[in-house]
Amino acid sequence: MDVVPPMVVEPGAGRPSAIKAVPIRHPGRWVATLVVLAIAGGLVYSLLTTDRYHWDVVGQYFTSRRVLDGLVETLKLTAIAMAIGVSLGIVLAVMRLSPNPVVAGMSWLYIWFFRGTPVLVQLLFWYFVSALYPSFIIGIPHGPAFSRSTNELITGFMAAILGLGLNEAAYMAEIVRAGIISVEHGQTEAAQALGMKRLQIMRRIVLPQAMRVIIPPTGNETISMLKTSSLVSVIAYTELLYSVQLIYSGPSSVGAFLQIPLLIVASLWYLIVTSVLTVGQYYLERRFARGAVRGLPPTPLQRLRRYLFTFHAPPPAPPPPTIPPGRVGGPR
Amino acid sequence: MSTAPMVRAEQVRKSFGRLEVLRGIDLEVAPREVMCLIGPSGSGKSTFLRCINHLEKIDGGRLSVDGELVGYRQSGDKLYELRDAEVCHKRSEIGMVFQSFNLFPHMTALENIVLAPMRVKGDSKSVAVDRAKTLLARVGLADKVDAYPRQLSGGQCQRVAIARALAMQPKLMLFDEPTSALDPELVGDVLDVMRKLAEDGMTMVVVTHEMSFAREVGDSLVFMDSGVVVEAGPPREMLANPKQERTRTFLSKVL
């Protein structure tokens, strides 16, 4: 048998040096970059040089009274419709998971109906509901009653809220239900074993954990609602879209062809609010991620602050080695 | 023993659909007694444990804790189902520790422990927090007050879970394979906590595969198989000298 000679290694000599290799060329990437830049450049050129965009009109109306009023109405509709959607959605989801088949069935029927018909049709339905029920009465037969004319009660605002909110509840119910069933059954059992009651368990244990699953699609729904609320223009409710429509079709604008610049005004506002909502969703998700990950990554703002701080501070100590020295395999 | 039993089971039966899981369980646990339940998986030992705090409903026989029926009230020769609130109240007097810990992941160790005392018993926050901190110190985790379960090892999680159950000051503790999900090196810490608890006089029913724990800490040992109690007795005697053939086969495989 051959005796393997002991290897004598000079300190550091046994380790290969850092790699210096010729990288692969990617000509395809360069071509793609050029094509994309050319198209983008063309778009920007066209945006800036085509007079008919009327950027001056965009600027003139962007913060005009009527547009801002419409924006406020849009925000109001979105907030109220989402509030109705989320709260009714939670109720419907809990109903759907109820052991009582009638209760669960009702919830199923609600979701089936409101998800199965277009929201535009629902909005029109609520707007014209007074033709179906001329007056609205709640009361006990032969007893006290509350009675109002439906036309008085269902204003354009109410029709918009009902149409958007009740429809949203059907979607939210499914989102909440998915969140609830995503929570492990052991959680409910542990809470039961501690003597907690059904609603307590739902509120303190199940829903907070379900939130992690519920929030991202709910953020989506809110952004979607912001835009869907523009459908309300068909029932002549002056939210953002209908406000700009009124401006460009108004008597003072005849022949001015302001449609495009004013639709741009509306679109810019929709984009701005959507961006704000996206940031809000990010922080909300972080809040409900507590306990789900070992440590949360810093927010972009924290990262920026740290960057500014280190920029002004004296040079920091050298960073610790990524591999703890004790772990490097083999004796030196 | 002359004292009234803490747990008393007479011909307890339970089926899941057509599968009969418990086929007439008779046993008694005295106050301050530590009873260990052993047996192959599917023998019904966990199901029986879960019947004691009414996480499972029994289909036949009688099961009582501290002299009161579990899940029912007897009046004359009629049984009435207990209301949700009454069941919750009885559960709050029985602590339970699960194989998979089931700590609430969105709460810190401290929040896990104070939740039920504050929301179920109505303790004030300061009382609940004080007791929780004492309990965390008792299970050796005084420094983990603000840690989330995800940041703890399995053994630490299980000790928090024990502290959480103890915070309700239960008269009976149920352990459902408390060390089965743990890395071997972490088992000892949990068993130490349980041993101390037994020394302090807690009544405990422990479903376990830890024969050494059963031998050293247990006052009684019950071997279950396919829904019946095959053999019961003092642990040392039974482990050294099982009388039933079935017990002997099982023990020869696990010891």
Side-chain angles (χ1 to χ4, degrees):
Chain A
M1 206 192 274
D2 288 340
V3 178
V4 181
M7 246 202 308
V8 182
V9 181
E10 296 289 320
R15 298 190 183 196
S17 58
I19 290 175
K20 276 182 213 140
V22 181
I24 300 179
R25 309 287 175 200
H26 296 285
R29 286 184 195 172
W30 286 102
V31 174
T33 309
L34 283 176
V35 170
V36 169
L37 282 179
I39 294 173
L43 271 174
V44 170
Y45 180 78
S46 150
L47 276 174
L48 294 178
T49 56
T50 308
D51 292 341
R52 285 182 300 269
Y53 275 110
H54 285 300
W55 289 108
D56 53 325
V57 179
V58 171
Q60 181 194 330
Y61 279 100
F62 189 67
T63 53
S64 77
R65 186 71 214 211
R66 292 169 79 184
V67 168
L68 290 184
D69 284 350
L71 175 67
V72 169
E73 289 305 314
T74 287
L75 292 177
K76 219 158 77 182
L77 280 182
T78 307
I80 298 176
M82 279 314 290
I84 294 176
V86 170
S87 26
L88 189 56
I90 292 177
V91 172
L92 285 166
V94 174
M95 278 173 69
R96 189 105 200 252
L97 297 167
S98 156
N100 181 337
V102 176
V103 170
M106 276 306 292
S107 169
W108 183 88
L109 205 68
Y110 180 100
I111 294 166
W112 172 78
F113 181 81
F114 281 92
R115 224 169 42 157
T117 52
V119 65
L120 184 55
V121 174
Q122 288 173 33
L123 279 167
L124 291 169
F125 176 88
W126 287 112
Y127 190 55
F128 296 123
V129 77
S130 62
L132 187 61
Y133 294 109
S135 54
F136 178 83
I137 305 170
I138 296 181
I140 309 156
H142 312 295
F146 163 88
S147 162
R148 286 282 287 281
S149 141
T150 306
N151 256 337
E152 224 173 276
L153 207 64
I154 308 289
T155 57
F157 181 69
M158 281 296 282
I161 291 303
L162 283 172
L164 295 175
L166 297 186
N167 180 263
E168 186 57 34
Y171 286 92
M172 282 309 302
E174 289 296 272
I175 291 171
V176 173
R177 190 174 66 100
I180 290 175
I181 55 182
S182 77
V183 177
E184 234 189 298
H185 187 61
Q187 293 287 310
T188 305
E189 280 197 340
Q192 280 177 328
L194 287 165
M196 293 175 73
K197 302 201 181 87
R198 236 174 76 89
L199 282 177
Q200 272 184 324
I201 297 172
M202 190 51 84
R203 167 145 177 254
R204 307 249 165 218
I205 307 298
V206 177
L207 281 180
Q209 293 185 60
M211 281 303 178
R212 285 195 54 234
V213 176
I214 293 174
I215 284 177
T218 304
N220 235 357
E221 290 291 309
T222 311
I223 287 169
S224 168
M225 173 63 78
L226 179 79
K227 294 171 298 166
T228 310
S229 69
S230 63
L231 287 181
V232 167
S233 59
V234 299
I235 58 172
Y237 188 77
T238 40
E239 40 66 70
L240 182 54
L241 178 63
Y242 196 52
S243 299
V244 304
Q245 283 179 327
L246 284 178
I247 296 173
Y248 66 61
S249 59
S252 59
S253 312
V254 174
F257 299 107
L258 298 179
Q259 286 89 336
I260 294 292
L262 278 158
L263 289 174
I264 290 175
V265 167
S267 303
L268 284 176
W269 275 117
Y270 282 120
L271 276 173
I272 289 170
V273 179
T274 310
S275 312
V276 171
L277 287 175
T278 309
V279 173
Q281 179 181 352
Y282 173 81
Y283 281 96
L284 209 61
E285 275 177 33
R286 263 177 76 86
R287 161 135 179 84
F288 281 98
R290 277 178 317 166
V293 283
R294 279 171 191 241
L296 289 169
T299 64
L301 215 66
Q302 285 170 335
R303 233 174 279 163
L304 181 72
R305 211 174 292 145
R306 190 172 310 164
Y307 171 78
L308 291 176
F309 178 74
T310 46
F311 184 75
H312 291 298
T322 33
I323 306 165
R327 288 270 181 88
V328 177
R332 298 281 163 98
Chain B
M1 220 174 280
S2 59
T3 46
M6 179 61 81
V7 180
R8 184 191 177 99
E10 295 169 90
Q11 285 300 303
V12 168
R13 292 176 176 278
K14 168 78 192 169
S15 304
F16 290 118
R18 294 169 73 185
L19 180 72
E20 203 172 22
V21 192
L22 301 179
R23 302 187 297 155
I25 302 286
D26 288 292
L27 56 79
E28 278 183 13
V29 185
R32 305 173 74 83
E33 179 178 335
V34 176
M35 174 182 281
C36 293
L37 291 178
I38 58 170
S41 59
S43 60
K45 50 196 192 320
S46 283
T47 304
F48 176 70
L49 197 74
R50 293 158 56 82
C51 287
I52 297 178
N53 66 355
H54 207 48
L55 283 180
E56 305 286 355
K57 242 184 191 172
I58 62 172
D59 301 323
R62 290 286 185 277
L63 180 59
S64 57
V65 172
D66 205 13
E68 288 177 33
L69 283 182
V70 174
Y72 303 92
R73 183 176 351 98
Q74 188 158 18
S75 168
D77 52 359
K78 253 191 181 168
L79 284 183
Y80 296 89
E81 268 188 49
L82 290 185
R83 291 167 188 286
D84 211 27
E86 295 169 300
V87 171
C88 287
H89 177 70
K90 288 199 170 177
R91 280 193 189 128
S92 72
E93 299 175 334
I94 303 171
M96 186 159 191
V97 175
F98 298 86
Q99 177 178 352
S100 48
F101 329 134
N102 294 344
L103 287 181
F104 307 131
H106 57 304
M107 298 180 183
T108 62
L110 187 79
E111 287 166 348
N112 262 278
I113 298 173
V114 299
L115 177 72
M118 285 173 62
R119 303 288 163 196
V120 178
K121 275 175 78 180
D123 285 353
S124 73
K125 188 172 180 184
S126 63
V127 170
V129 168
D130 279 353
R131 193 186 310 125
K133 286 187 173 163
T134 315
L135 283 167
L136 275 176
R138 199 164 137 199
V139 298
L141 295 172
D143 55 332
K144 299 293 183 187
V145 170
D146 293 321
Y148 283 97
R150 197 65 53 105
Q151 298 162 323
L152 300 173
S153 74
Q156 291 170 331
C157 278
Q158 194 60 297
R159 283 183 281 158
V160 173
I162 293 174
R164 178 176 70 176
L166 290 176
M168 291 296 282
Q169 300 175 308
K171 53 188 177 190
L172 169 67
M173 285 283 286
L174 309 174
F175 291 86
D176 189 3
E177 300 197 28
T179 57
S180 299
L182 299 179
D183 289 342
E185 54 177 347
L186 304 175
V187 169
D189 291 338
V190 172
L191 290 182
D192 282 344
V193 168
M194 290 169 64
R195 183 175 293 124
K196 262 191 271 170
L197 198 57
E199 281 164 11
D200 292 345
M202 177 61 78
T203 314
M204 295 161 61
V205 182
V206 186
V207 172
T208 187
H209 294 295
E210 297 291 330
M211 295 304 157
S212 58
F213 177 82
R215 183 187 297 121
E216 286 153 32
V217 183
D219 299 307
S220 56
L221 186 62
V222 171
F223 172 66
M224 282 176 66
D225 190 17
S226 47
V228 293
V229 173
V230 176
E231 190 171 349
R236 279 167 201 281
E237 226 170 86
M238 208 172 119
L239 288 172
N241 217 345
K243 294 196 180 65
Q244 300 290 327
E245 180 56 38
R246 184 71 194 86
T247 317
R248 208 168 300 145
T249 339
F250 176 75
L251 288 178
S252 70
K253 282 183 193 151
V254 297
L255 281 180

